[in-house]
């Protein structure tokens, strides 16, 4: 199933990557990075998303000015969110693998979100979304496996804290 989700991401979004560039809020990120380097993002996001600035500071030097690199980054993160949803729902409904898989496949290509091509911005926004969904799956698994309750609960809380402090929307 994870490979099917990745394949769907590639078919839905990946085939266009060679023709895509930078769009919308990606341009200020590239400009800030060009003018001040990666450390500027700690200041850019300090007032409302201070932890997110650290993530930008890590990813910007790795991917740099490559539009294709950022599009691939966003594609992988999109897959990670789809996988996190599938994994969490599978933990919730272990006997409903077909339905859970269908939900994850539909979620992957949900037409209500049409800004996948804004790769720097949404690639980073989807990181906490994945963390939030993994936190949900960890919570469900903790409740179902008494032996692992505390380790999974602590991991779920840490993962959710990461999601909350990276981006307040989730």
């Amino acid at each position: 199933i994870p490979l099917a989700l990745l394949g769907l991401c590639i078919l839905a979004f990946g085939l266009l990557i060679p023709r895509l560039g930078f769009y919308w809020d990606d341009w200020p990120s590239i400009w800030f990075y060009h003018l001040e380097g990666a450390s500027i993002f700690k200041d850019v996001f300090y007032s409302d998303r201070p932890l997110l600035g650290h993530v930008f500071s890590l990813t910007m030097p790795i991917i740099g000015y490559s539009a294709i690199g950022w599009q691939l980054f966003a594609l992988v993160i999109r897959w990670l969110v789809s996988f996190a949803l599938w994994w969490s729902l599978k933990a919730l409904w272990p006997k409903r693998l077909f339905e859970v898989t269908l939900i994850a496949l539909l979620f992957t290509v949900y037409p209500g979100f049409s800004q996948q091509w804004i790769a720097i911005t949404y690639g980073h926004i989807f990181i906490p979304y994945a963390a939030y969904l993994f936190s949900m799956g960890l919570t469900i698994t903790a409740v179902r496996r008494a032996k692992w309750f505390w380790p999974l609960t602590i991991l779920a809380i840490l993962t959710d804290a990461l999601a909350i402090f990276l981006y307040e929307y989730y």
Side-chain angles (χ1 to χ4, degrees):
I1 303 301
L3 289 176
L5 292 170
L6 179 60
L8 184 58
C9 283
I10 291 168
L11 286 173
F13 308 109
L15 298 178
L16 296 175
I17 285 177
R19 295 184 177 164
L20 296 175
F22 295 116
Y23 305 94
W24 198 46
D25 281 352
D26 289 350
W27 282 112
S29 297
I30 290 295
W31 184 245
F32 291 149
Y33 179 62
H34 177 73
L35 287 179
E36 300 287 336
S39 63
I40 189 67
F41 292 100
K42 294 172 189 167
D43 294 333
V44 169
F45 292 107
Y46 178 77
S47 66
D48 57 353
R49 298 175 192 110
L51 201 57
L52 188 61
H54 293 281
V55 177
F56 268 80
S57 294
L58 291 172
T59 57
M60 291 302 289
I62 294 169
I63 303 172
Y65 301 105
S66 171
I68 289 176
W70 283 110
Q71 294 295 336
L72 289 171
F73 170 78
L75 181 81
V76 169
I77 300 300
R78 178 74 173 242
W79 168 78
L80 187 64
V81 172
S82 297
F83 172 74
L85 176 70
W86 173 77
W87 181 77
S88 296
L89 291 178
K90 189 172 73 103
L92 183 61
W93 296 308
K95 295 179 181 177
R96 299 286 190 180
L97 187 58
F98 176 77
E99 291 87 349
V100 164
T101 301
L102 187 59
I103 290 168
L105 290 168
L106 290 172
F107 174 83
T108 300
V109 293
Y110 176 67
F113 177 75
S114 60
Q115 298 180 345
Q116 176 70 25
W117 41 272
I118 307 171
I120 297 174
T121 301
Y122 285 105
H124 285 97
I125 288 174
F126 275 25
I127 292 171
Y129 198 3
Y132 169 74
L133 290 170
F134 278 122
S135 173
M136 297 293 286
L138 288 165
T139 301
I140 294 162
T141 305
V143 169
R144 294 195 172 195
R145 296 192 178 157
K147 179 181 177 183
W148 292 94
F149 179 80
W150 286 112
L152 291 174
T153 298
I154 291 168
L155 189 56
I157 290 169
L158 292 173
T159 308
D160 192 48
L162 176 69
I164 289 169
F165 292 118
L166 277 175
Y167 216 82
E168 74 282 359
Y169 295 144
Y170 306 121

